């Protein structure tokens, strides 16, 4: 590994000098599985992903791609495409391995950040892991971080073995802020329902923010390990920059692209799980038969269908939704897919930009709902409800919608939850739903010590 990575870095440095522009060098090889694959002590940048069939851990940054505005997905796609064209790759590992990771802000403002980790480990169930080392060669200064030092860090980390998560300890936290407050939230929901009645939009998704003070900063590896065990059926993620890390366990896929096929998910409507088998079954049937819930979910499904039909052949949409059962809540869900008409021209970043924000997190019609949200919401969502995920050199990848999440900053955790508001929404029930959605992260942070209310 050491010699091979140094060699491809030297070639990248020479190519960067000749071309007069930066060149990425990537080395991939198979290694033994790392169990559990969790972040070590904080690095300058950490990315973690544990989703259907794939776990990723990326550390530090070899190259960064930043964009803002309504064209941010296109700008990152184009910059990544140029980088891939010049990129030098070597090693026997799987070259379909993810290389670019990160998250996009919910809205058009600054905050979208994608990067190539210096060290990335990817593993699928039942197989070996792939180690990817990356470096950026500058036309003037050569490789920005010494190749031997990067390789040595990888060897040292792997030789130390898997990171053992800290055992979760019962802790007590206190609420430092609720925004909007319960009273303000119910007033906001009532305003949204009134505007829906006036025909301004048919659905809008409102968000709340809950800031909790903890006795000490949570251990990121332990938190992610807890979420993986406690939230089956979700994608557990973390993206850290400096001292702050955004983490969560989301049930919602935005879009995945592989082998010319695109897959997305229409997820909407929420009910709690029942305390007994009989109560749980009744609540399941109630969700399937609830007209308001079906209308809310149908809005999302039709919007996804329309978006995919613009770039896909053979769009498949189930006739009726299924119920997605999670540990503490359940949702109506439809899995929508299609075959890309031109896979060379349409990659996962293009589809993420086309679909985001879906009516599940923004509203419908999109311009009217988002316009009102920008006036009505009292805080910037940041990465909450935005796309988070990864891309490979073939423009394939997977993005989730960053829900059931929290921004961790020292001993402070800022949690987010949202509710889809349609005709007939009840402010009191929508308030209770936000606490249902806060619950997964609260339970992981506090080791299931209650909901703080």
């Amino acid at each position: 590994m050491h010699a091979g990575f140094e060699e491809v870095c030297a070639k990248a440095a020479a190519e960067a000098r000749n071309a007069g522009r930066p060149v990425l060098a990537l080395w991939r090889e198979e290694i033994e599985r790392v169990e559990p694959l969790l972040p070590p002590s904080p690095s300058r940048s950490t990315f973690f992903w544990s989703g259907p069939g794939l776990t990723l851990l990326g550390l530090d940054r070899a190259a960064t791609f930043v964009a803002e505005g309504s064209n941010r997905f296109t700008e990152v796609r184009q910059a990544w495409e140029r980088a891939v064209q010049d990129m030098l790759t070597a090693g026997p590992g799987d070259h379909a391995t993810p290389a670019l990771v990160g998250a996009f802000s919910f809205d058009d403002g600054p905050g979208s950040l994608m990067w190539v980790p210096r060290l990335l480990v990817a593993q699928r169930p039942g197989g070996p892991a792939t180690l990817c080392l990356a470096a950026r060669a500058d036309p003037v200064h050569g490789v920005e971080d010494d190749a031997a030092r990067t390789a040595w860090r990888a060897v040292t980390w792997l030789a130390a073995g898997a990171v053992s998560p800290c055992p979760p300890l019962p802790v007590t936290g206190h609420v430092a802020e609720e925004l909007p407050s319960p009273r303000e939230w119910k007033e906001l929901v009532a305003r949204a329902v009134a505007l829906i009645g006036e025909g301004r939009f048919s659905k809008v998704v409102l968000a709340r923010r809950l800031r909790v003070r903890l006795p000490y900063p949570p251990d990121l590896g332990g938190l992610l390990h807890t979420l993986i065990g406690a939230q089956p059926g979700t994608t557990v993620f973390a993206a850290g920059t400096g001292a702050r890390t955004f983490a969560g366990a989301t049930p919602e896929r935005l879009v995945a692209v592989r082998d010319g096929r695109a897959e997305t998910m229409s997820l909407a409507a929420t009910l709690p799980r029942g305390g007994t088998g009989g109560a749980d079954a009744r609540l399941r049937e109630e969700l399937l038969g609830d007209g308001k819930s079906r209308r809310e979910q149908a809005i999302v499904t039709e919007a996804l269908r329309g978006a995919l039909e613009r770039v896909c052949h053979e769009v498949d949409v189930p006739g009726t939704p299924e119920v997605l059962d999670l540990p503490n809540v359940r949702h109506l869900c439809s899995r929508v897919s299609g075959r890309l008409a031109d896979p060379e021209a349409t990659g996962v970043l293009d589809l993420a930009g086309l679909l985001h924000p879906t009516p599940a997190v923004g509203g419908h019609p999109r311009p009217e709902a988002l316009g009102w949200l920008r006036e009505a919401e009292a805080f910037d969502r940041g990465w909450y409800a935005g796309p988070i995920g990864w891309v490979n050199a073939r423009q394939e990848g997977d993005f989730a919608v960053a829900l059931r999440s929290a921004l961790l900053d020292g001993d402070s955790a800022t949690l987010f939850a949202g509710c889809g508001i349609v005709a007939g929404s009840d402010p009191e029930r929508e308030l209770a739903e936000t606490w249902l959605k806060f619950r997964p992260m609260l339970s992981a942070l506090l080791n299931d010590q209650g909901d703080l209310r």
Side-chain angles (χ1 to χ4, degrees):
M1 171 180 67
H2 186 159
F5 183 51
E6 281 194 292
E7 182 178 349
V8 73
C9 284
K11 290 179 179 178
E15 182 64 28
R17 286 194 300 271
N18 291 335
R21 58 180 177 270
V23 174
L24 281 172
L26 266 71
W27 171 270
R28 296 185 179 94
E29 67 177 75
E30 287 189 355
I31 59 172
E32 293 185 4
R33 294 180 65 80
V34 182
E35 297 290 358
L37 183 59
L38 293 168
S41 57
S43 63
R44 190 167 69 90
S45 294
T46 299
F47 182 85
F48 178 82
W49 171 282
S50 180
L54 180 67
T55 301
L56 295 175
L57 175 60
L59 302 176
D60 297 327
R61 293 188 226 167
T64 302
F65 300 82
V66 179
E68 62 180 273
S70 58
N71 291 324
R72 61 197 186 282
F73 296 94
T74 300
E75 290 176 9
V76 172
R77 155 73 193 251
Q78 292 172 347
W80 175 234
E81 197 167 39
R82 290 192 296 269
V84 168
Q85 288 172 352
D86 292 334
M87 190 165 61
L88 297 182
T89 61
D94 179 8
H95 282 218
T97 299
L100 184 69
V101 302
F104 288 86
S105 56
F106 174 82
D107 215 340
D108 294 347
S112 300
L113 177 65
M114 299 290 291
W115 69 91
V116 177
R118 293 189 190 276
L119 184 158
L120 184 141
V121 176
Q123 56 192 34
R124 299 185 184 277
T130 298
L131 171 68
C132 180
L133 301 180
R136 180 181 181 274
D138 181 81
V140 176
H141 304 291
V143 176
E144 292 182 342
D145 191 18
D146 182 73
R149 188 165 58 207
T150 298
W152 177 249
R153 279 203 301 264
V155 169
T156 303
W157 177 64
L158 293 169
V163 176
S164 298
C166 294
L169 300 173
V171 297
T172 301
H174 69 273
V175 174
E177 177 191 50
E178 284 186 70
L179 189 69
S181 69
R183 178 184 60 79
E184 292 168 334
W185 167 261
K186 288 186 283 188
E187 291 174 353
L188 194 59
V189 172
R191 281 173 54 202
V193 172
L195 291 171
I196 291 168
E198 294 170 8
R200 183 161 176 181
F201 37 76
S202 59
K203 177 182 178 180
V204 68
V205 182
L206 293 169
R208 291 188 78 213
R209 190 174 75 183
L210 177 73
R211 188 158 58 88
V212 178
R213 288 287 184 187
L214 304 168
Y216 48 77
D219 171 68
L220 180 59
L223 175 66
L224 297 173
H225 185 72
T226 298
L227 288 171
I228 290 169
Q231 297 297 320
T234 69
T235 294
V236 176
F237 62 86
T241 58
R244 304 201 301 172
T245 300
F246 183 65
T250 178
E252 186 169 352
R253 165 180 274 170
L254 177 63
V255 65
V257 172
R258 185 176 182 182
D259 296 331
R261 191 161 188 86
E263 298 180 359
T264 184
M265 174 190 288
S266 167
L267 193 75
T270 305
L271 274 185
R273 299 295 301 270
T276 65
D280 197 51
R282 286 193 297 274
L283 284 170
R284 198 173 197 277
E285 292 305 312
E286 180 182 333
L287 181 60
L288 278 170
D290 181 61
K292 169 188 168 294
S293 297
R294 293 290 287 266
R295 289 194 303 274
E296 180 184 350
Q297 200 261 345
I299 289 171
V300 181
T301 303
E302 288 308 306
L304 296 182
R305 181 208 297 270
L308 286 193
E309 285 177 344
R310 293 168 58 183
V311 294
C312 287
H313 297 311
E314 306 167 4
V315 175
D316 298 322
V317 182
T320 57
E322 61 184 86
V323 175
L324 178 64
D325 289 324
L326 299 170
N328 66 316
V329 296
R330 54 169 43 105
H331 308 284
L332 291 177
C333 173
S334 297
R335 301 177 194 276
V336 183
S337 63
R339 182 153 300 280
L340 291 171
D342 187 353
E344 295 294 323
T346 307
V348 70
L349 287 167
D350 302 297
L351 279 164
L354 180 64
L355 295 172
H356 174 77
T358 73
V361 293
H364 186 76
R366 182 189 288 180
E368 289 77 7
L370 292 183
W372 184 72
L373 278 178
R374 293 183 183 112
E375 299 172 5
E377 283 194 340
F379 59 89
D380 181 358
R381 295 188 182 187
W383 284 350
Y384 167 68
I388 186 166
W390 57 267
V391 190
N392 65 19
R394 301 173 184 174
Q395 304 297 340
E396 299 173 325
D398 200 349
F399 279 85
V401 183
L403 306 175
R404 316 294 148 84
S405 51
L407 180 63
L408 310 176
D409 187 0
D411 63 357
S412 174
T414 303
L415 288 71
F416 301 89
C419 294
I421 310 302
V422 295
S425 290
D426 176 69
E428 196 67 50
R429 291 185 64 178
E430 301 300 339
L431 178 65
E433 184 176 315
T434 64
W435 280 99
L436 277 174
K437 292 174 176 177
F438 286 139
R439 180 71 194 186
M441 185 58 75
L442 277 177
S443 296
L445 288 168
L446 306 180
N447 193 21
D448 210 13
Q449 295 303 295
D451 63 8
L452 299 183
R453 283 185 293 173

